[in-house]
Amino acid sequence: MSSLANSLNQVTAAGSQRPAALAGLELLASAVLLLDADGRIVYANAAAENLLESSLKALSRQTLSAQFLNPAELDNICAQAREHRYADMRQDLMLERAGREALHVHSIVTALDEPTGHLLIELREHLQHLKLDREERILDQSQVNKELIRNLAHEIKNPLGGIRGAAQLLEMELPALNAGELREYTQVIIKEADRLQTLVDRLLAPHRRPHIVGDVNIHEVLERVRSLMLAEFPSGLTIRRDYDASIPEFRGDKEQLIQTVLNIAHNAAQALAARIEAGDAEIIFKTRVARQVTLAKVRYGLALDLHIIDNGPGIAPQIRDRIFYPLVSGREGGSGLGLTLAQTFVQQHMGVIECDSRPGCTDFRILLPLP
């Protein structure tokens, strides 16, 4: 433990640095923090930064208790660990945070065998393994949907062409006496065949279009969508920006990403119709960097964490688990393709898209790997 003690002394003296002796902790998926004898944070690994939504520099020298609204149980565990020197203290905790979702974690607190009185704390989110399972199911379901759509679309296209052609031939053979009156019926057949053809083409669009890769600045994408949205909804809608300017460019298809964000934002605006009329509708574009993220079963050191948040009524519970399925829509007259296309484009970028919705706040989160 002497090397660890030396590292801790270096961190205490130098501030928010990452000691070489603790480099292995950066690879862990669970959050790990070191507290000094006064309960102040002297080290947090990347997973802890991600969990607490703050950097080591910002957390350094703050107490861990100050991060939560109800720290009593955690403080009690830490006190017992220091006092009794158990091998470790384990407890499930629900840690509330101001303006953010509560954390449901399994905590492991260990008093280090050092005279400095440091504590090692590990926090494991209960929802993490459920989230990974859900992402795997979404990927599998998406693949099934792609195959189903592709096969179904081709099966529909062939008879549609025959129906349209037959209606055109029938229209040419109509008797002159009743041609005008009967042509109305053939035109209905032709127009409906064209409408179904357009729908099929939209279903196949993401599979046909080439993936054009180039350097992408995500904030240019968001600004483009913002200008389009404000042009369509010039009054009653506010689009706020909460950007992390340090996010690097990455390789991707800019047009696909614009379409992805536009589809989500446009759905949000349509759900906000009543609030737009009242003048208090709001959409937030928020960007952050997430660390040590698993996307599609692959671990990435850095990922873009993009949120599109609105203050609308939320997604109806009966369709909440099916919003990314094709032809599922919560709006009267909606095609149910916007979110399906968004999910397809995000997955083509090796990312994931998920949604958390409740009345007054719907948050679409897009995670994309960064270089």
Side-chain angles (χ1 to χ4, degrees), residues 57-218:
K57 184 176 181 180
L59 293 170
S60 182
R61 316 315 299 162
Q62 294 187 43
T63 63
L64 182 59
S65 300
Q67 311 305 311
F68 309 111
L69 300 177
N70 60 335
E73 280 190 278
L74 181 60
D75 288 342
N76 184 48
I77 297 170
C78 292
Q80 290 186 54
R82 284 196 176 95
E83 180 181 351
H84 301 292
R85 292 289 190 266
Y86 294 136
D88 55 53
M89 298 289 296
R90 298 168 181 257
Q91 189 166 327
D92 291 334
L93 298 173
M94 192 273 286
L95 300 171
E96 297 176 354
R97 302 182 293 173
R100 299 175 184 174
E101 287 188 11
L103 296 176
H104 298 266
V105 297
H106 179 68
S107 64
I108 304 174
V109 181
T110 305
L112 300 181
D113 188 18
E114 295 286 346
T116 54
H118 283 79
L119 290 181
L120 178 70
I121 297 180
E122 183 178 0
L123 301 176
R124 300 177 182 172
E125 275 194 282
H126 289 315
L127 300 178
Q128 184 64 24
H129 70 283
L130 297 176
K131 178 182 174 183
L132 292 176
D133 289 344
R134 185 174 68 250
E135 287 180 359
E136 289 187 17
R137 287 198 304 273
I138 289 172
L139 288 172
D140 292 341
Q141 183 64 52
S142 176
Q143 190 60 40
V144 171
N145 285 341
K146 287 178 187 177
E147 294 300 323
L148 175 62
I149 288 170
R150 190 180 292 111
N151 294 334
L152 184 60
H154 286 299
E155 289 297 324
I156 292 173
K157 281 174 68 71
N158 292 333
L160 269 182
I163 292 170
R164 192 184 193 281
Q168 288 177 316
L169 291 174
L170 179 60
E171 187 173 281
M172 295 170 59
E173 298 295 328
L174 292 176
L177 182 61
N178 298 320
E181 181 181 339
L182 297 176
R183 187 173 289 111
E184 179 181 347
Y185 300 114
T186 57
Q187 283 298 308
V188 168
I189 298 172
I190 292 170
K191 287 177 181 178
E192 286 301 296
D194 289 341
R195 185 180 65 82
L196 289 174
Q197 180 68 56
T198 301
L199 178 61
V200 169
D201 288 340
R202 288 189 64 191
L203 285 169
L204 291 174
H207 312 295
R208 286 176 169 172
R209 182 179 172 185
H211 190 50
I212 303 171
V213 177
D215 291 331
V216 176
N217 182 323
I218 192 59

Side-chain angles (χ1 to χ4, degrees), residues 266-300:
H266 202 266
N267 280 0
Q270 290 173 332
L272 287 166
R275 282 190 173 272
I276 289 175
E277 188 173 340
D280 63 350
E282 180 179 76
I283 296 175
I284 302 172
F285 291 161
K286 176 181 174 182
T287 60
R288 293 292 186 270
V289 172
R291 293 176 172 81
Q292 301 301 327
V293 175
T294 301
L295 303 174
K297 304 180 184 179
V298 179
R299 189 77 171 169
Y300 296 96

